[in-house]
């Protein structure tokens, strides 16, 4: 691998910069014993300064780990356990890893800086053969970090967020537009959206698509509220929307995940409102939760398990240098159930 400029950087250059032999550099990057931690750190620092990494082929021939895939998620542990999307996504990933006799190394992180450090540690420590990156932000610093490392990754996010990384994504803008058009076709003019974390790239795209659809359909009463995806936040947002004065109170609400939609259903019951007679509710992803409520929740159905499986297959293609391309997975589609209907009057 070469640095950012100048002639090709070799293992000999790294050894010279660190003041060790080429064999010591090989021991460090192969995660072999025989070096002190101080020496190992000095070698890694020299390689980082020179922008050098062993090629994927060389790492594989040297016995690099390709039987473990990494996945870091920036969410609180309690919330992750309650979030159907990630459970389904991880299930899909595992279904492919099992076929490859491969394991998933899952870690929760507090922020992107911590994730970047973790990914670097995994890769330099030979613990993984590649990684799945999720929850992209605008100008996400992980793009440059993993490109600098030369680590095989698949990015779960729209190409506008993931730079030159191989990516898989859903067309969230089209799905949001379909949801708004459906509710408007039922006769709703005051539609609200309870969205996810405002900093996430797919949240920004959904919000923009919602505003655009509302403008196109001339819906004067469209409103949006950002949350953290939790049931508690979804309940608070729903309560705030439904306690507004009648001219501003929405007659339909779209949620960014299922758990918030279930919480919204409980809030409506708490306030003595009937679903869908007084307010229509539309969930996202269509997990099993949507079919266990009363009334059952209409949803934008999405094969999240298949999404995870597709991401894992794509990562193996990147690791094996098979020339896989970035591509979308099927767009969520509307599944009407008992929680949506025409507004009264």
């Amino acid at each position: 691998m070469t640095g950012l400029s100048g002639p090709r950087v070799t293992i000999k250059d790294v050894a010279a910069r660190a003041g060790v032999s080429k064999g010591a550099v090989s021991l460090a990057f192969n995660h072999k014993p025989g070096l002190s931690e101080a020496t190992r750190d000095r070698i890694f620092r020299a390689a980082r300064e020179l922008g050098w990494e062993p090629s994927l082929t060389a790492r594989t021939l040297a016995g690099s780990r390709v039987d473990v895939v990494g996945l870091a998620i920036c969410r609180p542990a309690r919330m992750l356990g309650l979030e159907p999307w990630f459970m389904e996504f991880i299930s899909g990933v595992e279904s492919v890893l099992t076929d490859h006799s491969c394991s998933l190394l899952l870690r929760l992180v507090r922020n992107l800086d911590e994730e970047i450090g973790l990914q670097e540690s995994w890769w330099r420590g030979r613990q993984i053969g590649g990684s799945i990156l999720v929850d992209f932000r605008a100008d996400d610093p992980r793009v440059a970090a993993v490109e600098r490392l030369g680590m095989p990754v698949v990015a779960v996010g729209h190409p506008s967020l993931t730079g030159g990384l191989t990516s898989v994504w859903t067309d969230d803008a089209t799905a949001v537009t379909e949801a708004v058009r459906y509710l408007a076709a039922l006769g709703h003019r005051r539609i609200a959206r309870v969205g996810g974390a405002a900093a996430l790239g797919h949240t920004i795209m959904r919000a923009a698509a919602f505003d655009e659809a509302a403008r196109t359909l001339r819906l004067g009463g469209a409103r949006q509220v950002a949350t953290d995806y939790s049931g508690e936040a979804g309940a608070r947002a729903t309560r705030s929307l439904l306690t507004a004065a009648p001219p501003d109170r929405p007659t339909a609400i779209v949620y960014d995940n299922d758990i918030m939609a279930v919480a919204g259903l409980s809030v409506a019951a708490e306030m003595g409102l009937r679903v869908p007679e007084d307010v229509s509710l539309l969930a996202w992803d269509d997990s099993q939760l949507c079919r266990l409520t009363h009334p059952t929740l209409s949803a934008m159905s999405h094969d999240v398990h298949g999404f995870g499986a597709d991401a894992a297959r794509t990562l193996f293609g990147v690791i094996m240098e098979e020339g896989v391309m970035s591509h979308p997975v099927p767009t969520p589609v509307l599944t009407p159930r008992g929680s949506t209907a025409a507004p009264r009057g």
Side-chain angles (χ1 to χ4, degrees), residues 132-148:
I132 298 172
L133 306 182
V134 299
D135 282 346
F136 275 79
R137 279 78 163 168
D139 301 317
D140 199 296
R142 292 174 295 175
V143 175
V146 298
E147 287 179 338
R148 182 177 65 251

Side-chain angles (χ1 to χ4, degrees), residues 14-220:
V14 175
R17 172 70 70 94
V20 298
S21 67
K22 291 191 294 182
V25 176
S26 180
L27 285 176
F29 277 89
N30 288 325
H31 206 53
K32 301 293 185 182
L35 297 175
S36 69
E37 286 305 311
T39 300
R40 196 181 302 274
D41 289 343
R42 191 164 72 251
I43 291 169
F44 287 155
R45 185 168 58 253
R48 186 164 55 247
E49 290 169 354
L50 293 171
W52 181 85
E53 273 286 340
S55 68
L56 178 60
T57 302
R59 291 175 68 92
T60 302
L61 292 174
S64 178
R65 295 292 296 272
V66 293
D67 58 344
V68 177
V69 165
L71 173 61
I73 301 174
C74 189
R75 299 284 176 90
R78 180 173 176 274
M79 186 182 299
L80 182 66
L82 296 173
E83 174 55 75
W85 191 94
F86 269 115
M87 296 301 99
E88 283 290 312
F89 183 82
I90 292 171
S91 172
V93 170
E94 288 279 15
S95 71
V96 174
L97 300 190
T98 298
D99 292 340
H100 288 77
S101 299
C102 188
S103 300
L104 180 67
L105 181 55
L106 174 65
R107 282 279 298 275
L108 303 184
V109 296
R110 290 165 294 186
N111 52 57
L112 292 186
D113 288 339
E114 183 178 344
E115 180 178 346
I116 290 170
L118 176 66
Q119 298 286 359
E120 181 173 351
S121 174
W122 278 349
W123 182 241
R124 293 193 186 283
R126 310 296 296 279
Q127 296 181 64
I128 61 172
S131 200
I132 298 172
L133 306 182
V134 299
D135 282 346
F136 275 79
R137 279 78 163 168
D139 301 317
D140 199 296
R142 292 174 295 175
V143 175
V146 298
E147 287 179 338
R148 182 177 65 251
L149 287 171
M151 181 173 69
V153 301
V154 62
V156 178
H158 193 272
S160 64
L161 302 168
T162 60
L165 303 180
T166 301
S167 59
V168 293
W169 72 94
T170 56
D171 186 352
D172 286 333
T174 295
V176 167
T177 301
E178 181 181 1
V180 175
R181 285 177 176 170
Y182 163 68
L183 293 171
L186 289 176
H188 294 279
R189 309 305 296 172
R190 299 191 304 276
I191 302 172
R193 172 177 165 269
V194 176
L200 295 178
H202 66 263
T203 299
I204 295 171
M205 290 182 176
R206 292 182 188 184
F210 182 89
D211 282 341
E212 179 60 28
R215 280 193 298 270
T216 300
L217 296 169
R218 298 181 180 178
L219 305 178

Side-chain angles (χ1 to χ4, degrees), residues 179-180 183 191-195 210 252-256 280 282-284:
V180 175
L183 293 171
I191 302 172
R193 172 177 165 269
V194 176
F210 182 89
I253 305 175
V254 181
Y255 295 86
D256 259 19
S280 288
L282 181 62
W284 202 275

Side-chain angles (χ1 to χ4, degrees), residues 317-341:
V318 174
I319 292 173
M320 302 309 294
E321 300 181 341
E322 294 175 348
V324 293
M325 304 292 290
S326 297
H327 58 274
V329 298
T331 302
V333 296
L334 177 70
T335 301
R337 295 196 182 94
S339 67
T340 50

